[in-house]
Amino acid sequence: METIVYEEPTTYLNHQHSVASWLLTYDHKRIGILYLIVVTFAFFLGGIFATLIRLELATPAGDLFSADVYNRMFTMHGVTMVFFVLVPAVPAVLGNFVMPLMIGAKDVAFPKLNLLSWYVFTIGFIFTVASMILGGVDTGWTFYTPYSSQGSESNVLLTGIGVFITGFSSILTGVNFMVTIHRMRAPGMTWFRLPLFIWALYSTALVMVLGTPVIAITLLMLVLERGLHLGIFDPRLGGDPVLFQHLFWFYSHPAVYIMILPPMGVISEVIACFSRKNVFGYSFVAFSSLAIAVFGFLVWAHHLFVAGISPYSALIFSFLSFAVAIPSAVKTFNWTATLYEGAIWWKTPMMFAFGFLGLFLIGGLTGLFLASLGLDVHLTDTYFVVAHFHYIMVGGAIMGYFAGLHYWWPKITGRMYNDTLGKLAALLIFVGFNLTFGPQFILGYLGMPRRYHVYPPEFQVLNVLSSAGASILAVGYVLPALYFLYSLKFGAEAGANPWKATGLEWTTQSPPLPENFRTTPVVTEGAYAYSKREMRVA
Amino acid sequence: MFSGFSLFPTQASTLAPEIDNLYLGVILITAFFAIVVVVCVTYFAIKYRDHTGDKIGAPITGSVPLELGWSLIPFVIAIGIFVWASIVFFHIVRAPDQTLEIYSTGKRWMWRFQHIDGQREINELHVPVGRAVRVVFTSEDVLHDLFIPAFRVKADAVPGRYSAIWFEPTRVGEYHLFCAEYCGTRHSGMIGTVYVMEAADYQAWASGGGATAGGTLVQRGEGLFTQLACVTCHLPDGTGRGPSLAGVYGSQVTLESGETVTADESYLRESILMSQAKTVKGYEHIMPTFQGLINEDGVAALIEYIKSLQAGGNRVASAQ
């Protein structure tokens, strides 16, 4: 064994081997891997629920599951995917791993807090999985009262507590990231030399710290209402069921930006790298992240246009919802302009980034339909909404997560995966995704409501298309798991910088040293200084 | 049923074409942007492709005029959509003055409807063509949502308060009625059919069958008004311990706080069920709460009776 130790360079992976060295690690890179394991498990769990939902919906009748089982399926799909995949995927997995590397730091500002975040997250997840094993929960991931406080006979308390606990992990990670980005940047790494992924993570951390306490309070109120009948949401006791929706969406709409801002940051990195260019309009892209984070807090009631709010407040929230679309549009135009006169290298991460552009574009533009008051009355609570948010959450966030995973995988593991299979996965996911969720826009306008276990037969054609698409999508998601695992043992050595990218994370070895850099790097140029390279100009 | 496959639901109300036009308009605008971006991305990705990964791109960092252009132009267009959609929205939420009122209650997992003439039905709603109909509804348990895709209207049914939708059917036929707010086990079974009938057919239906057995809604309300002893305090001439209810519906009521509220269905409903919530200026808090003593159908009947009382204490026949 000793000979191998001498041959291999020391990395964060091989300098310690015991299980305890992983479970008690303070190393941001190892904690990133710990998150990766839990998030991947959650992703496949949520994926299984999704598969079963699409199987059931292939026929109009409820022939596979009872209504109660179906209701639990879509609830647990939503809870798992939102709180245990979408929220943590990019910040906690990729952010944890690469953020300190990208700013030239040895670790995050509070390494022990970082480990605590993972434990809190995992304990919350265990509570939630326990609630599923004990019979599940059937309120929908939105936990609307009074169904959740009085009507439902499922495990609302246990799930609520699980999500409540998990929220603290978000808050702790947010605080940790903010302090790290403020205080731990390498000499010369000024704010406007930061990679755009860091700007995105910073904006996200802001939302996590300010928004998550509100969902925690809301879930606590729900738990108290359900346990003690305090009358906060019960109209018979003078409470207001719609109050819950205000509180819930005050967090959960900004949470959409927790889910999409970090993948947007990933896309900026990937597009810059594989176009060999500066991101067009760097400061506009950076500030659009902050603008989204701030305006994201002012649009929550657009989820309540038919819930009985005043038509005048609906006007204000509709206007603000149109306003928040502009920074996202600015980002999209800047990414497109970045490609102009680039030297575009068609590698797997870029294929995922192209996929992101297409799907996020549709997701964003269909958001305008729902922000339009006159259309939202007809469209809300239908499959149009389901399609819209899946285009943002899965087409945008998960596509961006996959782009990032494929981009930094050689850095994380030191190995290359099969590029052809990677491109095939990107293609399968893109095609499968559009086939799954495209028909749902039409279904929604035709009037098919969400969360329907059985449906009128005229909706079947579009549902069959959707279920067929989901099977392609499933193959697209399983494929990366296979070639990633294969690459760990058989993949080619990646070397420090397989993509010939700029950025401090590519200046250190792959996998990185336990302490990231041998000497603290000194930064003398912006994040995407490709044009200063000694290379042939395109 | 597959033969009926289409991309648009049937247009069966006066609002439907307005909403469909807005939908098409927004599709055209967004499709323009989507096509521009997709064409640019595809063209650039192919034209500037580099197989080696060794070349570098042009040293372009950005352009302030471009940034301003693609921020401001979409913003102006967004404002345009916002204004258009908001105008349509106010057509959806503002019912015309003269409507045929129908009361409804959602409960797990059915919709009950009560017509002015006394007809009651479950998961079926009969309405006349060419006449503005307003459905006033609430929920007895959890949230529900009354959604009629062919009319392009929906609103949540919230326990403890009234919601309303209005529509003017334009086409005789049968249409889906859905619950669109998740309400538990048989949410997807909480569906029904709207029957749009010729006016004469509706009139025959509304006054036929067992409709008159329980009397009209106003008659039932009048019965309850006596039975629950409302009549002992709410004297028509205003000399009773409670305010006169003649002409109260639709009027401005001054509360003891000095605040003024419009006495609409929601106000009347709250004043019956939670009588202490709002007290009329100059009166004492002596009215008992009727929560638990009267069901939603009874509340609707009482409200319809109060609406029939005009100033001066005269009763008017319900609009027929």
Side-chain angles (χ1 to χ4, degrees):
Chain A
M1 284 303 287
E2 281 202 335
T3 52
I4 295 172
V5 172
Y6 286 113
E7 278 177 13
E8 273 188 10
T10 308
T11 73
Y12 80 98
L13 287 171
N14 67 11
H15 74 122
Q16 287 172 314
H17 288 281
S18 66
V19 173
S21 76
W22 279 92
L23 291 180
L24 299 174
T25 182
Y26 300 146
D27 183 345
H28 67 98
K29 300 182 287 302
R30 286 194 163 202
I31 294 171
I33 302 287
L34 292 177
Y35 270 112
L36 177 66
I37 293 166
V38 180
V39 166
T40 305
F41 178 75
F43 184 66
F44 280 100
L45 183 64
I48 289 169
F49 291 134
T51 309
L52 295 174
I53 290 168
R54 283 313 330 164
L55 271 176
E56 171 65 81
L57 293 177
T59 60
D63 29 27
L64 204 53
F65 307 114
S66 71
D68 277 326
V69 171
Y70 179 81
N71 295 342
R72 282 164 168 76
M73 290 289 172
F74 74 69
T75 301
M76 296 187 297
H77 166 70
V79 169
T80 312
M81 288 301 201
V82 169
F83 297 109
F84 300 98
V85 179
L86 291 164
V87 168
V90 178
V93 177
L94 298 175
N96 247 319
F97 197 98
V98 298
M99 187 268 280
L101 286 165
M102 290 175 97
I103 65 171
K106 279 197 166 80
D107 207 317
V108 292
F110 308 114
K112 292 176 187 170
L113 199 63
N114 201 17
L115 180 65
L116 180 66
S117 302
W118 180 76
Y119 273 100
V120 169
F121 172 72
T122 305
I123 290 168
F125 185 52
I126 289 169
F127 265 84
T128 309
V129 171
S131 82
M132 293 173 187
I133 293 168
L134 295 173
V137 60
D138 73 344
T139 58
W141 80 276
T142 46
F143 301 111
Y144 273 14
T145 55
Y147 185 68
S148 59
S149 54
Q150 297 159 20
S152 174
E153 285 161 14
S154 61
N155 295 314
V156 182
L157 281 183
L158 206 51
T159 311
I161 291 168
V163 174
F164 174 78
I165 294 171
T166 304
F168 286 91
S169 135
S170 253
I171 299 171
L172 298 181
T173 302
V175 170
N176 216 339
F177 280 17
M178 281 169 83
V179 177
T180 307
I181 295 168
H182 269 281
R183 305 296 306 162
M184 310 273 289
R185 284 172 284 129
M189 180 60 95
T190 59
W191 284 93
F192 289 98
R193 285 177 180 166
L194 282 174
L196 287 163
F197 182 52
I198 305 299
W199 276 94
L201 283 180
Y202 186 85
S203 309
T204 308
L206 211 63
V207 183
M208 283 172 158
V209 171
L210 295 175
T212 316
V214 179
I215 188 78
I217 293 164
T218 312
L219 288 171
L220 199 60
M221 286 162 103
L222 172 61
V223 166
L224 291 176
E225 175 92 353
R226 193 173 162 88
L228 305 171
H229 306 289
L230 290 187
I232 308 167
F233 307 120
D234 182 354
R236 282 172 302 183
L237 299 171
D240 182 357
V242 181
L243 174 65
F244 178 87
Q245 297 177 36
H246 282 286
L247 291 169
F248 179 82
W249 289 112
F250 186 83
Y251 163 78
S252 294
H253 196 81
V256 171
Y257 301 112
I258 295 179
M259 301 174 214
I260 195 66
L261 277 169
M264 285 171 159
V266 170
I267 295 307
S268 294
E269 298 302 315
V270 170
I271 288 184
C273 169
F274 293 95
S275 308
R276 310 304 192 198
K277 276 185 70 193
N278 274 296
V279 172
F280 194 90
Y282 171 98
S283 51
F284 287 91
V285 177
F287 281 113
S288 64
S289 288
L290 280 179
I292 290 172
V294 173
F295 283 110
F297 275 106
L298 305 175
V299 299
W300 77 89
H302 68 208
H303 296 268
L304 280 72
F305 287 157
V306 300
I309 62 170
S310 138
Y312 299 104
S313 77
L315 271 185
I316 293 166
F317 282 101
S318 167
F319 179 79
L320 290 168
S321 305
F322 277 106
V324 83
I326 302 301
S328 298
V330 166
K331 277 182 191 285
T332 307
F333 293 137
N334 279 299
W335 289 323
T336 307
T338 304
L339 299 172
Y340 176 71
E341 292 200 342
I344 297 164
W345 197 20
W346 290 22
K347 299 299 264 184
T348 301
M350 191 60 166
M351 297 299 118
F352 278 100
F354 285 141
F356 172 98
L357 283 181
L359 301 180
F360 179 72
L361 184 68
I362 298 174
L365 290 172
T366 50
L368 297 178
F369 290 71
L370 297 166
S372 301
L373 285 170
L375 286 178
D376 186 71
V377 172
H378 179 62
L379 292 174
T380 191
D381 291 325
T382 71
Y383 262 85
F384 192 95
V385 175
V386 176
H388 159 70
F389 73 70
H390 279 89
Y391 266 86
I392 297 284
M393 305 283 78
V394 187
I398 296 294
M399 212 68 175
Y401 174 58
F402 273 55
L405 211 51
H406 285 83
Y407 182 51
W408 284 302
W409 185 261
K411 179 56 58 186
I412 294 170
T413 65
R415 301 288 182 156
M416 298 304 288
Y417 50 84
N418 184 314
D419 189 56
T420 310
L421 285 178
K423 285 174 181 163
L424 177 66
L427 182 70
L428 285 174
I429 292 173
F430 186 78
V431 172
F433 184 89
N434 280 306
L435 192 54
T436 308
F437 294 102
Q440 295 184 4
F441 286 120
I442 304 167
L443 270 178
Y445 200 78
L446 286 171
M448 178 164 165
R450 298 170 68 172
R451 297 171 169 177
Y452 261 33
H453 170 230
V454 297
Y455 57 85
E458 69 260 34
F459 296 140
Q460 191 180 6
V461 177
L462 290 164
N463 271 293
V464 168
L465 278 179
S466 186
S467 294
S471 59
I472 299 175
L473 198 52
V475 175
Y477 284 137
V478 170
L479 194 55
L482 300 179
Y483 61 71
F484 275 151
L485 286 174
Y486 184 83
S487 78
L488 288 179
K489 192 126 183 95
F490 305 104
E493 297 269 348
N497 191 0
W499 310 124
K500 302 167 218 172
T502 61
L504 292 178
E505 79 269 32
W506 301 107
T507 62
T508 186
Q509 66 180 42
S510 310
L513 297 164
E515 68 275 23
N516 291 351
F517 301 97
R518 275 185 216 287
T519 54
T520 304
V522 176
V523 181
T524 56
E525 56 191 14
Y528 312 106
Y530 287 95
S531 56
K532 292 187 183 170
R533 284 193 170 174
E534 298 291 320
M535 285 191 201
R536 286 180 291 137
V537 178
Chain B
M1 279 293 213
F2 291 170
S3 58
F5 179 80
S6 73
L7 297 179
F8 287 90
T10 319
Q11 288 183 340
S13 76
T14 51
L15 290 170
E18 229 184 299
I19 290 155
D20 288 355
N21 288 341
L22 175 62
Y23 184 58
L24 284 174
V26 182
I27 286 178
L28 288 177
I29 294 166
T30 52
F32 169 76
F33 282 99
I35 289 167
V36 167
V37 171
V38 168
V39 166
C40 286
V41 168
T42 312
Y43 177 72
F44 295 159
I46 294 168
K47 178 167 175 26
Y48 300 114
R49 181 172 182 185
D50 166 33
H51 292 268
T52 63
D54 289 331
K55 292 182 185 168
I56 57 167
I60 303 169
T61 54
S63 150
V64 174
L66 266 180
E67 299 287 348
L68 290 178
W70 63 43
S71 308
L72 292 177
I73 294 170
F75 185 69
V76 170
I77 294 172
I79 302 263
I81 303 176
F82 163 74
V83 170
W84 183 5
S86 300
I87 292 168
V88 173
F89 177 66
F90 275 85
H91 293 166
I92 298 171
V93 293
R94 288 259 185 280
D97 288 341
Q98 294 296 319
T99 52
L100 173 69
E101 316 264 288
I102 294 171
Y103 287 85
S104 174
T105 307
K107 63 178 282 190
R108 285 182 289 167
W109 292 276
M110 62 165 89
W111 293 103
R112 277 204 318 274
F113 296 94
Q114 286 199 96
H115 295 255
I116 300 286
D117 291 319
Q119 277 283 16
R120 296 194 224 194
E121 47 187 342
I122 287 175
N123 292 344
E124 292 189 347
L125 174 60
H126 290 76
V127 289
V129 71
R131 184 156 168 205
V133 176
R134 183 161 163 266
V135 184
V136 178
F137 56 101
T138 184
S139 162
E140 273 185 13
D141 38 46
V142 299
L143 298 176
H144 301 284
D145 186 295
L146 189 58
F147 177 32
I148 306 166
F151 300 160
R152 314 284 190 274
V153 288
K154 74 158 71 72
D156 282 5
V158 182
R161 62 166 88 162
Y162 274 135
S163 311
I165 54 173
W166 84 270
F167 48 82
E168 186 181 324
T170 53
R171 189 190 287 236
V172 172
E174 296 176 15
Y175 307 104
H176 284 301
L177 175 159
F178 293 127
C179 174
E181 184 64 65
Y182 176 68
C183 57
T185 309
R186 291 195 58 243
H187 168 53
S188 62
M190 192 166 163
I191 63 176
T193 308
V194 180
Y195 297 88
V196 176
M197 310 165 90
E198 294 294 353
D201 296 341
Y202 173 76
Q203 207 47 256
W205 174 87
S207 53
T212 45
T216 66
L217 210 50
V218 171
Q219 285 165 347
R220 258 189 271 149
E222 188 173 19
L224 282 169
F225 201 75
T226 313
Q227 190 190 324
L228 295 169
C230 315
V231 67
T232 55
C233 296
H234 292 286
L235 299 177
D237 56 6
T239 57
R241 286 181 291 172
S244 163
L245 299 180
V248 69
Y249 177 72
S251 71
Q252 295 291 315
V253 176
T254 307
L255 305 180
E256 55 181 353
S257 62
E259 189 190 348
T260 311
V261 295
T262 307
D264 56 8
E265 284 103 347
S266 295
Y267 168 81
L268 294 177
R269 180 181 184 284
E270 183 187 48
S271 297
I272 295 167
L273 294 179
M274 280 179 278
S275 45
Q276 305 296 322
K278 295 190 177 80
T279 306
V280 177
K281 194 178 176 80
Y283 290 89
E284 286 176 63
H285 295 270
I286 49 169
M287 178 168 160
T289 169
F290 286 87
Q291 189 155 297
L293 299 176
I294 180 171
N295 63 19
E296 291 293 347
D297 292 357
V299 175
L302 272 176
I303 289 174
E304 217 28 57
Y305 170 67
I306 293 167
K307 283 160 84 171
S308 75
L309 299 172
Q310 285 208 335
N314 299 319
R315 249 197 59 198
V316 288
S318 59
Q320 278 183 19

